[in-house]
Structures are given as structure tokens and as C-alpha cells.
Amino acid sequence: MDICKIHENASKCSVNAMECFMVLSTQAQKISIATLCGLFGTLCIFENSLVLYLIFSSPRTRRKPSYLFISSLALADILASIIFVCSFVNFHVFNETDFSKETFLLQLGGVNTSFSASVSSLLLTALDRYISISRPSKYKLLMTRKRAWIALGVVWVTCAIISSLPLLGWNCCTLNSTCSELFPFVDGKYLSSWICFIVVLLGCIVYAYAHVLWRAHQHVAYMEKHHVQVGKQNARMRMDVMLAKTLVMVLTVLVLCWSPVLILMIYSTFARLSNHLRKVFAFCSTLCLLNSMVNPIIYALRSKELYSSLRMVFSRFRRQLKASEESPEAESTHKSSMVET
């Protein structure tokens, strides 16, 4: 099939034109995509649901702004996995086209909103850590629960509005403009604008974490220079090393998961994509889902408070399981003693 060319006998905005975006040609490719989406999506929903439970089951964690941002990240990743997996598998694996242009743009808007909110929540988490290390004495005054909720509201509303623009009229059918080669009905200029939005968010995240790493390095250098007490110095250095490792993991996973998709999107705005590259884009899209699956491990489960809460939940579950296994034996023993009596 050609590079998503518009058929001469079909309008670029018709349902038939969507078939050229279904780039998975073999059964093996469809099974691979379905397996990746099913695996990543299931783990993503389970992990992020567990994070939400751990945060809101403890009064101590749900009051902290930093955990509000992590809960927003978990919620966005859950929505992203559900909407993305359902729409992506339905379109690329089952080749369903029995829906209107508005329905497709609504699904695409849901996917963009959830992924944009996920990246924006990462940015809020990065800014929270940036403020905590750059202005530790004023952190509690600057980062209050009210401001955290306002920031989350602004982020989610902004992401929803930007992602809904194609549905509201900024699409190549309404404007009779150049359509994207990667997404049906999407205007090329809108795709460029959305790419710029995500790149700016990622750039701010990288800058914030780079500053945090630099400040952590400054702390270690200061303690070595002024010969702080050995115990305090070792504890501080261990904390800085752990923080550095966490932030390196954050940046590495973020860049590895989002770079392939963004590079292909940017390339598509300047040149024609071959059918092979569009297949590569379909598989690279699952990396964004992988990022949503890894987020709770990096951001949440490395937290001492959430990790201790997780251990308590597992120990409570083990006790309940052990009690349920022992109860039939106790009941049978009780019945046998009654018979003997």
C-alpha cells in the first residue's frame, strides 16, 4: 500500500481513507502489537491503581502536595493505558472503521489528553522537587495543598483543551488543509503544535532534574570542603547518591520512551514517511505505554513511605490468607470434637 495517499475515488475525510493508516500487514505484527498492549496495559493499570490505593489509604501521604502530583500521574497513566489500548488494538489489530470522524477524533483526544496529563504531572513532580531543593526553608509556604490542587486543575484543563482542538474544528477536513501521514483527519500544523507542546514539557522536566542533580552535587562538595561530621556526611552522601540514581533513571526512561515517537512525528512534518517507518511508529507508540508502566516504580515505589505502606498491605494480605487457610481446619476440628461429645 502507498504512503497513505488519498485514493482518487475516495475523499480524504471518508471512512475508506482510514484504511491506509492500518499499516500492520501480517498476522505476526498484529499479534505482537496486541501482546505488547495487553501486557503493558494490564501491568500499568495494576501498578498505578496500587499507587493510588497506597496514597489515599494513608492520611499522611494524601495530604502532601508531592503525593498529589504522583496520584495525578498514576490517574493519567491509568486513563492513558485504558483508552490507548482499546482504541489502538481496535484500529490496528481488528481494523475497525465502523465509526465516524468525530468518534475517532474523540478517541484520539482522550489518548492525547491522558498522555499529555501524564507528562505534565511529571513536570509538576519535577518542579516540586526543584522547589524543595532550591528553597527548602520556604517549601511549605510555596507548595501548599491549595496551590497543588490549582496547578493540577490548570494542567488537566489545558491538556483537555489542547487535545480537543481537532474535534472542535482544527482538522484537515474542516480546514481543507494538509492531513498528517500518521493520524487520520489530523491537520499537519496541529500535529506540529502538539509536538512543540510535549517537547517544551520534556525540556522543562530535564532542566528541573538537571538543576536538582547539580544542587545535590553542590551539597556533597560543600560537606567535603567544610569537613562536616563523618556520620552526617556519609548519610547525606548516601541520600544524594540515591537521589542521583533515581533522577538518572527518570531521565533515561523518559528520553528512551518518548524520543522515537517524537522523532518520527517531527520527521513526518518535513518528509514523506515510508510504509516501513509507519509500522515502526506503530510499535514505538507502545513505548509511551511502557513509560506509563514504569512511572509508578520510579516515582512511587522508590518512596520510603509508599514502600512501607506496600509492605504493610502485603503482610496484612498474607495474614488474611493464612487465617482463611487455617479456618476450615479449625472448623473441622471443632465439628469432630462436637461429634465425639
Side-chain angles (χ1 to χ4, degrees):
M1 195 177 293
D2 290 336
I3 309 172
C4 197
K5 288 184 177 179
I6 307 303
H7 301 289
E8 294 181 0
N9 59 348
S11 169
K12 65 181 179 179
C13 297
S14 67
V15 175
N16 294 330
M18 294 178 65
E19 295 178 359
C20 66
F21 292 90
M22 299 175 181
V23 293
L24 303 182
S25 54
T26 65
Q27 196 68 21
Q29 292 172 355
K30 294 181 179 181
I31 293 175
S32 300
I33 283 286
T35 303
L36 290 174
C37 289
L39 178 62
F40 293 162
T42 303
L43 290 175
C44 180
I45 294 172
F46 171 75
E47 291 174 1
N48 287 286
S49 299
L50 180 61
V51 168
L52 287 177
Y53 172 76
L54 293 176
I55 291 175
F56 287 100
S57 62
S58 172
R60 184 180 177 184
T61 54
R62 66 169 176 256
R63 284 197 298 263
K64 293 185 177 180
S66 57
Y67 287 108
L68 289 179
F69 298 145
I70 292 178
S71 62
S72 172
L73 173 65
L75 177 62
D77 287 338
I78 289 174
L79 294 177
S81 60
I82 294 174
I83 302 173
F84 176 83
V85 169
C86 292
S87 58
F88 197 78
V89 171
N90 192 43
F91 185 81
H92 283 289
V93 177
F94 298 108
N95 300 136
E96 288 291 335
T97 58
D98 190 19
F99 46 81
S100 62
K101 176 192 73 175
E102 289 74 18
T103 303
F104 177 82
L105 292 178
L106 180 62
Q107 293 177 353
L108 184 63
V111 172
N112 288 344
T113 298
S114 50
F115 275 126
S116 301
S118 177
V119 177
S120 300
S121 299
L122 293 179
L123 175 60
L124 290 179
T125 305
L127 293 177
D128 176 74
R129 296 182 180 181
Y130 175 87
I131 295 173
S132 68
I133 198 169
S134 61
R135 297 186 178 181
S137 60
K138 297 182 179 180
Y139 172 75
K140 290 186 178 180
L141 295 175
L142 294 173
M143 191 59 68
T144 60
R145 288 190 70 214
K146 182 179 180 181
R147 290 181 178 179
W149 280 111
I150 292 174
L152 288 174
V154 170
V155 159
W156 278 88
V157 170
T158 302
C159 293
I161 292 175
I162 292 175
S163 302
S164 300
L165 290 177
L167 182 63
L168 298 176
W170 193 355
N171 56 73
C172 58
C173 301
T174 304
L175 301 177
N176 196 23
S177 56
T178 304
C179 294
S180 166
E181 294 182 1
L182 294 173
F183 305 100
F185 315 129
V186 174
D187 179 71
K189 292 182 179 178
Y190 169 79
L191 181 60
S192 301
S193 302
W194 189 82
I195 293 171
C196 291
F197 173 63
I198 296 297
V199 168
V200 168
L201 292 180
L202 295 176
C204 292
I205 293 172
V206 172
Y207 172 79
Y209 280 138
H211 182 82
V212 171
L213 283 172
W214 177 66
R215 291 300 294 265
H217 173 72
Q218 276 189 328
H219 282 303
V220 176
Y222 175 83
M223 290 183 174
E224 291 177 348
K225 181 179 179 181
H226 292 83
H227 304 288
V228 180
Q229 294 178 6
V230 178
K232 292 183 178 179
Q233 183 178 2
N234 289 339
R236 183 68 195 189
M237 288 183 68
R238 282 196 300 269
M239 187 179 71
D240 289 334
V241 168
M242 183 177 179
L243 176 63
K245 288 181 179 179
T246 302
L247 297 185
V248 168
M249 288 173 58
V250 168
L251 296 179
T252 302
V253 171
L254 195 64
V255 170
L256 288 178
C257 290
W258 278 91
S259 291
V261 171
L262 291 176
I263 289 172
L264 287 173
M265 283 185 181
I266 294 171
Y267 181 75
S268 70
T269 60
F270 295 101
R272 281 289 180 103
L273 292 179
S274 65
N275 209 36
H276 174 71
L277 282 179
R278 292 196 294 133
K279 289 180 182 179
V280 172
F281 177 78
F283 279 93
C284 288
S285 298
T286 60
L287 291 177
C288 299
L289 193 61
L290 175 63
N291 186 38
S292 296
M293 185 193 76
V294 175
N295 279 338
I297 299 174
I298 297 177
Y299 283 87
L301 298 184
R302 284 180 67 87
S303 165
K304 289 184 179 179
E305 291 177 317
L306 292 185
Y307 183 70
S308 61
S309 299
L310 181 63
R311 290 183 62 181
M312 289 176 61
V313 169
F314 278 134
S315 62
R316 194 185 312 133
F317 176 74
R318 267 194 241 106
R319 286 196 301 268
Q320 291 177 353
L321 188 63
K322 188 176 180 180
S324 63
E325 289 177 351
E326 292 177 352
S327 59
E329 297 176 2
E331 186 178 353
S332 60
T333 305
H334 177 70
K335 287 182 178 179
S336 61
S337 63
M338 291 289 289
V339 170
E340 290 174 1
T341 304

